Amino acid sequence: MKKHLLAFIFLLILSPLFAQGYLYYLKSAYPSYKNVYEYFYKNYNPDELPKGTQVYFAKDKDGWWVYTLSYQNISRVPENKQLLWSVREQKWLFVKMPLRKDKDIPRFVEDFTAKEYEKHFFYGYPAWAEDVIKLLSQENSLPDKYLESLARAYSFQSEGLLFPHSEFQPTENEYDKFFQLKDIPEIKLVNGLKNAELAIQTYEKLLRQNPYYHTPVGSVRLKLANEYMSTYLNFMIMGDTLRAKHFLKPNLYEDFFVSFAKNMLNSCEEKAILITNGDTDTFAILYVQHVLGIRRDVTVVNLSFLQKARYIHYLQNLLPQEQRLRFKIQIQHYKSPLTEVLYLANKEIGIKVDFDEIVQDLNKDMQVVTNKLALTDQIQGLQIEAKQWHLLIKDDFKIRLKYFREHLYRQDLALNDLISSNLAFRPIYFATTIDRLAVQPYNDYIYLEGFADKLSTTQSGRFDKVHWDKSYRNLKENMDWKGIDKTAVKDSAKVRILFNYRYRFSQIAGMLIENGQKFLALAVADQCYDLFPNEIIPYDFAMPYLASIYYQLNLSSKGDKILEICMQNIEKYLQTRYSIPPQFASKIREDYYFFADFCDLTAEKFERKTLQQRAVYLKGRIVGG
């Protein structure tokens, strides 16, 4: 009996080690996503597939698969799925795809998607999260990266049941009748809640296990806070306010992110609409509004969520009455798979179309064929015969947009609908954290007002135009800088925000100089210089521009000091560049070259010859390898 007991205890001790050994073996049994990507594109050319078809990779227990999806595949069930690399055979397999005949192979980019494939044991298909949960949920002592994978899998499952909006999630919910809470099966809400709570519990466990762990969005504490608020928003979109409020907790965000959210909100006029796009700008702002009760008059709209009909319904019908948004296009057309993608067929940029004509055609008959709107021949999608769209705002004023793309998405259609339907009644702002390419069509109408870009009813004529008086007043009266201390920042989310702050300060100071407000420009430049020193956040691309501000104010010694520190940072890069992982080396080298080039151009413009010579020398070293 004693022997059996000892053997049992021995097995209990060893079982976690065996489990971890198996997980390590499983992880090492597959080629990397980079290897799969490069092998596939070296041998196959998906550009020859029918228009509207995209290629995806899936990693499951059998190996790496390649499959296709059309834009209108609302189930997201893989089409033409073929095994590309077999775990059992440990080799590449032939697949029926167009063979590559040229050497024009797309370059691999180490982006968010690549990191997700490497993070998870299984990924890239609708059931990946379910398979990860089965594999990891019974393990008691998981390493940090596996805990993160498990937490993300629970989160993915919750989203899929409530408000599917992540890649690889089925989107049937977008095309069903369940826009009323009473019509939604209770089991869906219960399971969505259960998985959301498991995701939060797993992130909390990861935070206790390693408070310094870093996720793609930033620190694990930030990721946990975002998980609470994203679950809150998911239930609000479903119309389940009771369950939603369960996730409104105090002290979720650090002071830094609370200040960031306040600064965005306080840059907006009363009853504004604020367009965001990322996790942190959206969820931190919602936290400040709905937990701290600050600036609840502003309606926050996540740009990427506009791809989903249920979210448009939420903005139109479920927000408090005074915050609800108007849309001209009927909701059933946003639910149609035909509006997933819109093709801009005409190659001539000069052909124009009034947005109201598109709205009328859609609302009149989804099958209508006119010279402006048609069903494409090759795929089920809408084709618009113009790349210039005119949005009538009020009276005779129109916003004139130019698209330099071959296709748009539903979120682009919905954003234009939102702007044309609401701008005459409420001010609209874009968060400064939005990628500039996303707002490129509106550049001529955007003015910076602190830390949000206002969409104006007058043309600015240039993309970096600043309402200098409002921006200066916002900086001096409405901004909060809590959480910015004198220690070096390593959290990637904070780094991105601090870079954004620094760039916007420089923009405002430059516009103040252009408008003859040199004293105010000096105050803004000095505030930027003091708030964001090199010791907290290394000098970057914005700093040569700040140096130029000091040169224009005849404070050459301060400008010289900034350029000197910039070039010291470039020197540090050159000393350590051979230790940079190969997948990042090329992009980082390119970034530092442009950084040195900005230093060169600034020094040349203001005749700082010694500094210019040094910048030219550094550019040569970067290029010379």
Side-chain angles (χ1 to χ4, degrees):
M1 181 68 180
K2 203 170 189 179
K3 287 183 179 178
H4 290 307
L5 181 61
L6 288 172
F8 178 70
I9 293 171
F10 184 68
L11 286 173
L12 280 178
I13 293 169
L14 286 182
S15 59
L17 299 177
F18 283 128
Q20 289 193 28
Y22 169 70
L23 293 176
Y24 176 79
Y25 163 76
L26 188 62
K27 198 77 171 176
S28 61
Y30 293 77
S32 69
Y33 173 67
K34 181 175 185 290
N35 288 341
V36 172
Y37 181 97
E38 291 177 342
Y39 173 84
F40 176 80
Y41 281 98
K42 180 180 178 182
N43 293 282
Y44 302 96
N45 186 3
D47 291 341
E48 296 182 14
L49 291 169
K51 185 179 179 181
T53 303
Q54 291 183 298
V55 168
Y56 291 91
F57 299 104
K59 180 174 63 169
D60 70 6
K61 61 183 178 58
D62 296 316
W64 280 98
W65 300 76
V66 61
Y67 65 92
T68 60
L69 280 178
S70 64
Y71 287 128
Q72 281 70 38
N73 182 334
I74 61 175
S75 70
R76 313 312 286 168
V77 173
E79 306 160 357
N80 190 27
K81 185 178 178 182
Q82 302 174 70
L83 191 60
L84 181 65
W85 188 89
S86 168
V87 168
R88 185 170 62 85
E89 298 181 45
Q90 290 286 298
K91 70 175 186 180
W92 301 103
L93 304 177
F94 177 78
V95 297
K96 292 181 180 179
M97 285 273 185
L99 296 174
R100 182 167 294 282
K101 299 172 184 176
D102 57 43
K103 295 184 178 180
D104 190 18
I105 302 169
R107 190 179 75 170
F108 175 79
V109 178
E110 188 80 16
D111 57 8
F112 175 79
T113 300
K115 291 174 182 176
E116 290 297 287
Y117 277 104
E118 291 306 305
K119 179 195 305 177
H120 303 293
F121 286 93
F122 310 123
Y123 191 69
Y125 56 101
W128 74 264
E130 184 179 344
D131 291 343
V132 167
I133 291 169
K134 287 177 183 175
L135 179 69
L136 299 179
S137 61
Q138 301 305 312
E139 302 298 331
N140 293 321
S141 54
L142 289 171
D144 298 342
K145 59 183 178 180
Y146 298 165
L147 265 182
E148 184 196 0
S149 178
L150 179 59
R152 179 68 193 105
Y154 282 130
S155 179
F156 184 92
Q157 289 291 86
S158 178
E159 288 173 4
L161 288 162
L162 300 175
F163 175 54
H165 58 269
S166 293
E167 197 169 23
F168 310 120
Q169 283 178 333
T171 56
E172 292 98 333
N173 287 11
E174 296 306 309
Y175 309 103
D176 62 23
K177 63 181 180 180
F178 297 147
F179 276 177
Q180 301 298 319
L181 180 62
K182 63 183 177 58
D183 295 325
I184 301 171
E186 181 68 12
I187 189 66
K188 178 182 283 193
L189 297 170
V190 169
N191 287 336
L193 177 66
K194 177 184 175 182
N195 279 281
E197 289 177 335
L198 286 169
I200 287 170
Q201 290 167 17
T202 308
Y203 278 122
E204 287 174 338
K205 183 176 180 180
L206 177 56
L207 178 62
R208 291 192 300 271
Q209 184 167 299
N210 182 359
Y212 304 103
Y213 187 78
H214 204 269
T215 75
V217 302
S219 70
V220 64
R221 180 180 173 184
L222 175 63
K223 179 62 180 175
L224 174 61
N226 286 348
E227 194 67 29
Y228 270 103
M229 293 308 301
S230 67
T231 307
Y232 161 78
L233 181 57
N234 287 343
F235 276 108
M236 290 298 291
I237 291 168
M238 299 293 282
D240 193 342
T241 56
L242 189 62
R243 286 187 173 96
K245 289 178 180 178
H246 171 70
F247 294 92
L248 293 179
K249 307 290 185 184
N251 303 315
L252 286 180
Y253 287 91
E254 298 175 57
D255 286 344
F256 180 94
F257 296 107
V258 171
S259 297
F260 161 68
K262 287 180 181 177
N263 292 344
M264 289 281 192
L265 289 168
N266 288 333
S267 296
C268 298
E269 294 175 14
E270 187 178 352
K271 297 182 180 178
I273 299 166
L274 176 60
I275 312 293
T276 62
N277 198 40
D279 285 4
T280 303
D281 56 358
T282 301
F283 300 133
I285 290 172
L286 290 177
Y287 171 82
V288 165
Q289 289 183 309
H290 298 286
V291 176
L292 303 184
I294 296 170
R295 291 303 308 271
R296 296 188 65 171
D297 60 295
V298 176
T299 300
V300 178
V301 177
N302 183 285
L303 178 59
S304 61
F305 285 3
L306 287 176
Q307 189 70 14
K308 301 299 180 181
R310 180 175 291 281
Y311 185 63
I312 295 169
H313 174 266
Y314 163 73
L315 297 173
Q316 197 172 24
N317 299 286
L318 300 183
L319 287 173
Q321 189 67 42
E322 66 278 7
Q323 288 196 342
R324 292 180 187 175
L325 302 183
R326 309 172 187 211
F327 289 89
K328 297 175 182 176
I329 296 173
Q330 296 166 8
I331 193 67
Q332 65 262 33
H333 301 320
Y334 283 124
K335 294 198 296 185
S336 168
L338 294 178
T339 58
E340 279 278 341
V341 180
L342 296 91
Y343 295 91
L344 304 180
N346 199 291
K347 305 259 187 242
E348 299 297 327
I349 197 71
I351 296 180
K352 307 174 182 65
V353 61
D354 281 339
F355 182 71
D356 282 352
E357 291 182 37
I358 297 174
V359 173
Q360 289 167 12
D361 282 347
L362 279 170
N363 288 341
K364 182 170 56 178
D365 184 353
M366 200 63 176
Q367 302 299 319
V368 73
V369 177
T370 70
N371 63 332
K372 301 294 190 300
L373 185 67
L375 292 177
T376 63
D377 295 331
Q378 295 181 322
I379 61 170
Q380 286 293 96
L382 293 178
Q383 181 169 287
I384 297 174
E385 295 284 351
K387 290 192 175 184
Q388 284 198 47
W389 294 19
H390 290 178
L391 310 186
L392 179 63
I393 305 302
K394 59 181 178 180
D395 301 327
D396 292 327
F397 176 73
K398 294 181 179 180
I399 289 181
R400 293 169 170 80
L401 309 179
K402 292 181 182 179
Y403 288 104
F404 298 93
R405 294 181 269 163
E406 296 303 315
H407 63 270
L408 306 178
Y409 295 100
R410 180 184 293 139
Q411 68 185 51
D412 301 303
L413 182 70
L415 179 60
N416 286 330
D417 192 352
L418 185 157
I419 289 169
S420 66
S421 303
N422 294 276
L423 186 57
F425 311 99
R426 300 176 64 181
I428 296 177
Y429 291 80
F430 292 100
T432 55
T433 48
I434 291 181
D435 188 330
R436 297 305 301 185
L437 289 176
V439 296
Q440 176 270 327
Y442 311 95
N443 276 344
D444 288 346
Y445 301 89
I446 286 176
Y447 292 82
L448 180 64
E449 291 190 357
F451 293 107
D453 291 322
K454 185 179 182 182
L455 186 62
S456 177
T457 52
T458 59
Q459 279 188 285
S460 66
R462 48 188 276 193
F463 78 94
D464 62 344
K465 193 75 172 176
V466 178
H467 278 147
W468 62 266
D469 51 345
K470 288 185 179 179
S471 292
Y472 181 79
R473 189 164 61 250
N474 278 331
L475 282 184
K476 293 302 178 184
E477 298 176 7
N478 298 325
M479 299 296 109
D480 184 346
W481 305 111
K482 287 180 183 175
I484 299 178
D485 53 27
K486 296 300 179 183
T487 57
V489 172
K490 296 181 180 179
D491 183 331
S492 62
K494 291 182 179 179
V495 167
R496 289 191 294 269
I497 290 168
L498 288 172
F499 281 160
N500 186 271
Y501 277 155
R502 187 184 271 164
Y503 175 66
R504 300 300 170 171
F505 264 95
S506 300
Q507 265 190 291
I508 293 166
M511 195 57 62
L512 285 166
I513 288 178
E514 281 192 30
N515 286 275
Q517 304 293 325
K518 290 189 175 183
F519 180 77
L520 300 184
L522 177 59
V524 171
D526 282 346
Q527 188 177 10
C528 179
Y529 186 86
D530 294 337
L531 274 174
F532 316 117
N534 186 63
E535 293 75 22
I536 292 179
I537 184 75
Y539 281 4
D540 66 318
F541 294 90
M543 294 310 289
Y545 186 48
L546 188 66
S548 75
I549 300 296
Y550 283 113
Y551 288 136
Q552 291 175 77
L553 295 171
N554 297 318
L555 296 169
S556 298
S557 60
K558 212 159 191 178
D560 288 349
K561 184 176 180 180
I562 290 171
L563 287 186
E564 178 69 31
I565 295 173
C566 286
M567 287 187 274
Q568 287 174 6
N569 289 347
I570 297 170
E571 289 275 11
K572 289 177 183 176
Y573 153 72
L574 288 168
Q575 293 167 9
T576 60
R577 60 178 164 170
Y578 295 114
S579 63
I580 295 172
Q583 65 267 35
F584 304 119
S586 177
K587 178 66 170 64
I588 292 175
R589 181 173 64 247
E590 186 177 296
D591 288 346
Y592 271 96
Y593 178 83
F594 285 118
F595 187 15
D597 195 43
F598 290 158
C599 293
D600 175 15
L601 293 172
T602 303
E604 180 184 25
K605 181 177 180 179
F606 295 99
E607 298 181 348
R608 316 305 292 173
K609 292 184 179 179
T610 302
L611 289 169
Q612 187 195 359
Q613 289 171 357
R614 186 175 175 191
V616 171
Y617 167 71
L618 291 172
K619 284 163 60 178
R621 285 187 61 192
I622 293 169
V623 172

PDB file of all heavy atoms in Angstrom, residues 219-240:
ATOM      1  N   SER A 219       1.453  46.116 -21.601  1.00  0.00           N
ATOM      2  CA  SER A 219       1.645  45.300 -20.400  1.00  0.00           C
ATOM      3  C   SER A 219       0.442  44.401 -20.158  1.00  0.00           C
ATOM      4  O   SER A 219      -0.665  44.671 -20.641  1.00  0.00           O
ATOM      5  CB  SER A 219       1.849  46.206 -19.181  1.00  0.00           C
ATOM      6  OG  SER A 219       0.625  46.863 -18.857  1.00  0.00           O
ATOM      7  N   VAL A 220       0.657  43.333 -19.375  1.00  0.00           N
ATOM      8  CA  VAL A 220      -0.445  42.419 -19.081  1.00  0.00           C
ATOM      9  C   VAL A 220      -1.530  43.124 -18.263  1.00  0.00           C
ATOM     10  O   VAL A 220      -2.727  42.810 -18.391  1.00  0.00           O
ATOM     11  CB  VAL A 220       0.068  41.143 -18.371  1.00  0.00           C
ATOM     12  CG1 VAL A 220       0.669  41.462 -17.009  1.00  0.00           C
ATOM     13  CG2 VAL A 220      -1.057  40.125 -18.210  1.00  0.00           C
ATOM     14  N   ARG A 221      -1.153  44.110 -17.453  1.00  0.00           N
ATOM     15  CA  ARG A 221      -2.165  44.871 -16.701  1.00  0.00           C
ATOM     16  C   ARG A 221      -3.067  45.649 -17.657  1.00  0.00           C
ATOM     17  O   ARG A 221      -4.291  45.701 -17.475  1.00  0.00           O
ATOM     18  CB  ARG A 221      -1.511  45.823 -15.704  1.00  0.00           C
ATOM     19  CG  ARG A 221      -2.555  46.613 -14.918  1.00  0.00           C
ATOM     20  CD  ARG A 221      -1.970  47.580 -13.921  1.00  0.00           C
ATOM     21  NE  ARG A 221      -3.037  48.397 -13.341  1.00  0.00           N
ATOM     22  CZ  ARG A 221      -2.836  49.397 -12.488  1.00  0.00           C
ATOM     23  NH1 ARG A 221      -1.605  49.695 -12.089  1.00  0.00           N
ATOM     24  NH2 ARG A 221      -3.854  50.103 -12.027  1.00  0.00           N
ATOM     25  N   LEU A 222      -2.476  46.255 -18.675  1.00  0.00           N
ATOM     26  CA  LEU A 222      -3.267  46.978 -19.667  1.00  0.00           C
ATOM     27  C   LEU A 222      -4.179  46.015 -20.422  1.00  0.00           C
ATOM     28  O   LEU A 222      -5.356  46.308 -20.661  1.00  0.00           O
ATOM     29  CB  LEU A 222      -2.347  47.712 -20.643  1.00  0.00           C
ATOM     30  CG  LEU A 222      -3.045  48.411 -21.815  1.00  0.00           C
ATOM     31  CD1 LEU A 222      -3.970  49.517 -21.316  1.00  0.00           C
ATOM     32  CD2 LEU A 222      -2.008  48.969 -22.797  1.00  0.00           C
ATOM     33  N   LYS A 223      -3.640  44.858 -20.796  1.00  0.00           N
ATOM     34  CA  LYS A 223      -4.441  43.868 -21.520  1.00  0.00           C
ATOM     35  C   LYS A 223      -5.628  43.416 -20.662  1.00  0.00           C
ATOM     36  O   LYS A 223      -6.750  43.253 -21.176  1.00  0.00           O
ATOM     37  CB  LYS A 223      -3.573  42.669 -21.893  1.00  0.00           C
ATOM     38  CG  LYS A 223      -4.311  41.561 -22.633  1.00  0.00           C
ATOM     39  CD  LYS A 223      -4.856  42.044 -23.962  1.00  0.00           C
ATOM     40  CE  LYS A 223      -5.596  40.931 -24.686  1.00  0.00           C
ATOM     41  NZ  LYS A 223      -6.245  41.413 -25.921  1.00  0.00           N
ATOM     42  N   LEU A 224      -5.410  43.224 -19.379  1.00  0.00           N
ATOM     43  CA  LEU A 224      -6.486  42.826 -18.471  1.00  0.00           C
ATOM     44  C   LEU A 224      -7.557  43.918 -18.398  1.00  0.00           C
ATOM     45  O   LEU A 224      -8.762  43.628 -18.468  1.00  0.00           O
ATOM     46  CB  LEU A 224      -5.912  42.555 -17.075  1.00  0.00           C
ATOM     47  CG  LEU A 224      -6.926  42.267 -15.953  1.00  0.00           C
ATOM     48  CD1 LEU A 224      -7.745  41.015 -16.262  1.00  0.00           C
ATOM     49  CD2 LEU A 224      -6.189  42.116 -14.613  1.00  0.00           C
ATOM     50  N   ALA A 225      -7.142  45.169 -18.279  1.00  0.00           N
ATOM     51  CA  ALA A 225      -8.102  46.276 -18.232  1.00  0.00           C
ATOM     52  C   ALA A 225      -8.914  46.334 -19.520  1.00  0.00           C
ATOM     53  O   ALA A 225     -10.142  46.503 -19.493  1.00  0.00           O
ATOM     54  CB  ALA A 225      -7.364  47.598 -18.014  1.00  0.00           C
ATOM     55  N   ASN A 226      -8.238  46.183 -20.651  1.00  0.00           N
ATOM     56  CA  ASN A 226      -8.938  46.190 -21.935  1.00  0.00           C
ATOM     57  C   ASN A 226      -9.919  45.031 -22.052  1.00  0.00           C
ATOM     58  O   ASN A 226     -10.978  45.167 -22.672  1.00  0.00           O
ATOM     59  CB  ASN A 226      -7.932  46.126 -23.090  1.00  0.00           C
ATOM     60  CG  ASN A 226      -7.190  47.439 -23.309  1.00  0.00           C
ATOM     61  OD1 ASN A 226      -7.566  48.474 -22.762  1.00  0.00           O
ATOM     62  ND2 ASN A 226      -6.146  47.395 -24.103  1.00  0.00           N
ATOM     63  N   GLU A 227      -9.576  43.884 -21.449  1.00  0.00           N
ATOM     64  CA  GLU A 227     -10.460  42.720 -21.497  1.00  0.00           C
ATOM     65  C   GLU A 227     -11.764  43.008 -20.750  1.00  0.00           C
ATOM     66  O   GLU A 227     -12.856  42.649 -21.216  1.00  0.00           O
ATOM     67  CB  GLU A 227      -9.761  41.501 -20.901  1.00  0.00           C
ATOM     68  CG  GLU A 227     -10.441  40.177 -21.210  1.00  0.00           C
ATOM     69  CD  GLU A 227     -10.383  39.810 -22.681  1.00  0.00           C
ATOM     70  OE1 GLU A 227      -9.433  40.214 -23.377  1.00  0.00           O
ATOM     71  OE2 GLU A 227     -11.323  39.126 -23.139  1.00  0.00           O
ATOM     72  N   TYR A 228     -11.657  43.638 -19.592  1.00  0.00           N
ATOM     73  CA  TYR A 228     -12.862  44.037 -18.857  1.00  0.00           C
ATOM     74  C   TYR A 228     -13.744  44.946 -19.714  1.00  0.00           C
ATOM     75  O   TYR A 228     -14.953  44.733 -19.846  1.00  0.00           O
ATOM     76  CB  TYR A 228     -12.484  44.784 -17.572  1.00  0.00           C
ATOM     77  CG  TYR A 228     -12.300  43.919 -16.353  1.00  0.00           C
ATOM     78  CD1 TYR A 228     -11.025  43.597 -15.889  1.00  0.00           C
ATOM     79  CD2 TYR A 228     -13.394  43.450 -15.639  1.00  0.00           C
ATOM     80  CE1 TYR A 228     -10.847  42.812 -14.752  1.00  0.00           C
ATOM     81  CE2 TYR A 228     -13.235  42.668 -14.501  1.00  0.00           C
ATOM     82  CZ  TYR A 228     -11.955  42.350 -14.064  1.00  0.00           C
ATOM     83  OH  TYR A 228     -11.792  41.572 -12.937  1.00  0.00           O
ATOM     84  N   MET A 229     -13.121  45.984 -20.303  1.00  0.00           N
ATOM     85  CA  MET A 229     -13.917  46.978 -21.016  1.00  0.00           C
ATOM     86  C   MET A 229     -14.414  46.468 -22.365  1.00  0.00           C
ATOM     87  O   MET A 229     -15.496  46.866 -22.813  1.00  0.00           O
ATOM     88  CB  MET A 229     -13.099  48.263 -21.202  1.00  0.00           C
ATOM     89  CG  MET A 229     -12.789  48.990 -19.898  1.00  0.00           C
ATOM     90  SD  MET A 229     -14.254  49.315 -18.868  1.00  0.00           S
ATOM     91  CE  MET A 229     -15.272  50.295 -19.955  1.00  0.00           C
ATOM     92  N   SER A 230     -13.668  45.588 -23.010  1.00  0.00           N
ATOM     93  CA  SER A 230     -14.167  45.027 -24.273  1.00  0.00           C
ATOM     94  C   SER A 230     -15.368  44.124 -24.015  1.00  0.00           C
ATOM     95  O   SER A 230     -16.325  44.101 -24.804  1.00  0.00           O
ATOM     96  CB  SER A 230     -13.059  44.256 -25.009  1.00  0.00           C
ATOM     97  OG  SER A 230     -12.678  43.104 -24.300  1.00  0.00           O
ATOM     98  N   THR A 231     -15.344  43.394 -22.892  1.00  0.00           N
ATOM     99  CA  THR A 231     -16.491  42.558 -22.537  1.00  0.00           C
ATOM    100  C   THR A 231     -17.697  43.435 -22.211  1.00  0.00           C
ATOM    101  O   THR A 231     -18.838  43.121 -22.602  1.00  0.00           O
ATOM    102  CB  THR A 231     -16.151  41.653 -21.344  1.00  0.00           C
ATOM    103  OG1 THR A 231     -14.952  40.918 -21.632  1.00  0.00           O
ATOM    104  CG2 THR A 231     -17.278  40.678 -21.073  1.00  0.00           C
ATOM    105  N   TYR A 232     -17.447  44.528 -21.488  1.00  0.00           N
ATOM    106  CA  TYR A 232     -18.520  45.502 -21.223  1.00  0.00           C
ATOM    107  C   TYR A 232     -19.160  45.954 -22.536  1.00  0.00           C
ATOM    108  O   TYR A 232     -20.394  45.936 -22.690  1.00  0.00           O
ATOM    109  CB  TYR A 232     -17.957  46.703 -20.460  1.00  0.00           C
ATOM    110  CG  TYR A 232     -18.825  47.942 -20.529  1.00  0.00           C
ATOM    111  CD1 TYR A 232     -19.965  48.055 -19.741  1.00  0.00           C
ATOM    112  CD2 TYR A 232     -18.506  48.984 -21.401  1.00  0.00           C
ATOM    113  CE1 TYR A 232     -20.777  49.184 -19.817  1.00  0.00           C
ATOM    114  CE2 TYR A 232     -19.309  50.114 -21.487  1.00  0.00           C
ATOM    115  CZ  TYR A 232     -20.444  50.209 -20.695  1.00  0.00           C
ATOM    116  OH  TYR A 232     -21.239  51.322 -20.785  1.00  0.00           O
ATOM    117  N   LEU A 233     -18.317  46.338 -23.514  1.00  0.00           N
ATOM    118  CA  LEU A 233     -18.843  46.846 -24.779  1.00  0.00           C
ATOM    119  C   LEU A 233     -19.573  45.748 -25.555  1.00  0.00           C
ATOM    120  O   LEU A 233     -20.624  45.999 -26.160  1.00  0.00           O
ATOM    121  CB  LEU A 233     -17.713  47.434 -25.627  1.00  0.00           C
ATOM    122  CG  LEU A 233     -18.130  48.025 -26.975  1.00  0.00           C
ATOM    123  CD1 LEU A 233     -19.177  49.120 -26.804  1.00  0.00           C
ATOM    124  CD2 LEU A 233     -16.911  48.564 -27.729  1.00  0.00           C
ATOM    125  N   ASN A 234     -19.047  44.526 -25.541  1.00  0.00           N
ATOM    126  CA  ASN A 234     -19.711  43.423 -26.245  1.00  0.00           C
ATOM    127  C   ASN A 234     -21.137  43.227 -25.741  1.00  0.00           C
ATOM    128  O   ASN A 234     -22.068  43.056 -26.532  1.00  0.00           O
ATOM    129  CB  ASN A 234     -18.917  42.126 -26.076  1.00  0.00           C
ATOM    130  CG  ASN A 234     -17.635  42.109 -26.886  1.00  0.00           C
ATOM    131  OD1 ASN A 234     -17.471  42.905 -27.814  1.00  0.00           O
ATOM    132  ND2 ASN A 234     -16.722  41.214 -26.550  1.00  0.00           N
ATOM    133  N   PHE A 235     -21.321  43.234 -24.422  1.00  0.00           N
ATOM    134  CA  PHE A 235     -22.665  43.059 -23.877  1.00  0.00           C
ATOM    135  C   PHE A 235     -23.549  44.280 -24.143  1.00  0.00           C
ATOM    136  O   PHE A 235     -24.763  44.133 -24.367  1.00  0.00           O
ATOM    137  CB  PHE A 235     -22.608  42.757 -22.378  1.00  0.00           C
ATOM    138  CG  PHE A 235     -22.378  41.304 -22.069  1.00  0.00           C
ATOM    139  CD1 PHE A 235     -21.169  40.864 -21.562  1.00  0.00           C
ATOM    140  CD2 PHE A 235     -23.378  40.367 -22.303  1.00  0.00           C
ATOM    141  CE1 PHE A 235     -20.950  39.521 -21.282  1.00  0.00           C
ATOM    142  CE2 PHE A 235     -23.179  39.025 -22.024  1.00  0.00           C
ATOM    143  CZ  PHE A 235     -21.960  38.590 -21.517  1.00  0.00           C
ATOM    144  N   MET A 236     -22.973  45.479 -24.138  1.00  0.00           N
ATOM    145  CA  MET A 236     -23.756  46.665 -24.479  1.00  0.00           C
ATOM    146  C   MET A 236     -24.250  46.592 -25.919  1.00  0.00           C
ATOM    147  O   MET A 236     -25.403  46.953 -26.213  1.00  0.00           O
ATOM    148  CB  MET A 236     -22.915  47.936 -24.280  1.00  0.00           C
ATOM    149  CG  MET A 236     -22.622  48.278 -22.825  1.00  0.00           C
ATOM    150  SD  MET A 236     -24.116  48.618 -21.848  1.00  0.00           S
ATOM    151  CE  MET A 236     -24.652  50.159 -22.575  1.00  0.00           C
ATOM    152  N   ILE A 237     -23.396  46.133 -26.818  1.00  0.00           N
ATOM    153  CA  ILE A 237     -23.788  45.999 -28.227  1.00  0.00           C
ATOM    154  C   ILE A 237     -24.926  44.989 -28.368  1.00  0.00           C
ATOM    155  O   ILE A 237     -25.816  45.151 -29.204  1.00  0.00           O
ATOM    156  CB  ILE A 237     -22.567  45.592 -29.075  1.00  0.00           C
ATOM    157  CG1 ILE A 237     -21.566  46.759 -29.142  1.00  0.00           C
ATOM    158  CG2 ILE A 237     -22.984  45.179 -30.487  1.00  0.00           C
ATOM    159  CD1 ILE A 237     -20.210  46.377 -29.707  1.00  0.00           C
ATOM    160  N   MET A 238     -24.920  43.957 -27.519  1.00  0.00           N
ATOM    161  CA  MET A 238     -26.001  42.971 -27.536  1.00  0.00           C
ATOM    162  C   MET A 238     -27.286  43.515 -26.910  1.00  0.00           C
ATOM    163  O   MET A 238     -28.347  42.911 -27.039  1.00  0.00           O
ATOM    164  CB  MET A 238     -25.581  41.710 -26.765  1.00  0.00           C
ATOM    165  CG  MET A 238     -24.368  40.997 -27.328  1.00  0.00           C
ATOM    166  SD  MET A 238     -24.670  40.258 -28.935  1.00  0.00           S
ATOM    167  CE  MET A 238     -25.565  38.783 -28.456  1.00  0.00           C
ATOM    168  N   GLY A 239     -27.177  44.652 -26.210  1.00  0.00           N
ATOM    169  CA  GLY A 239     -28.335  45.214 -25.520  1.00  0.00           C
ATOM    170  C   GLY A 239     -28.522  44.689 -24.121  1.00  0.00           C
ATOM    171  O   GLY A 239     -29.543  44.958 -23.470  1.00  0.00           O
ATOM    172  N   ASP A 240     -27.513  43.949 -23.589  1.00  0.00           N
ATOM    173  CA  ASP A 240     -27.603  43.349 -22.251  1.00  0.00           C
ATOM    174  C   ASP A 240     -26.863  44.241 -21.252  1.00  0.00           C
ATOM    175  O   ASP A 240     -25.734  43.954 -20.844  1.00  0.00           O
ATOM    176  CB  ASP A 240     -27.000  41.943 -22.283  1.00  0.00           C
ATOM    177  CG  ASP A 240     -27.324  41.133 -21.035  1.00  0.00           C
ATOM    178  OD1 ASP A 240     -27.707  41.745 -20.020  1.00  0.00           O
ATOM    179  OD2 ASP A 240     -27.176  39.904 -21.071  1.00  0.00           O
TER     180      ASP A 240
END
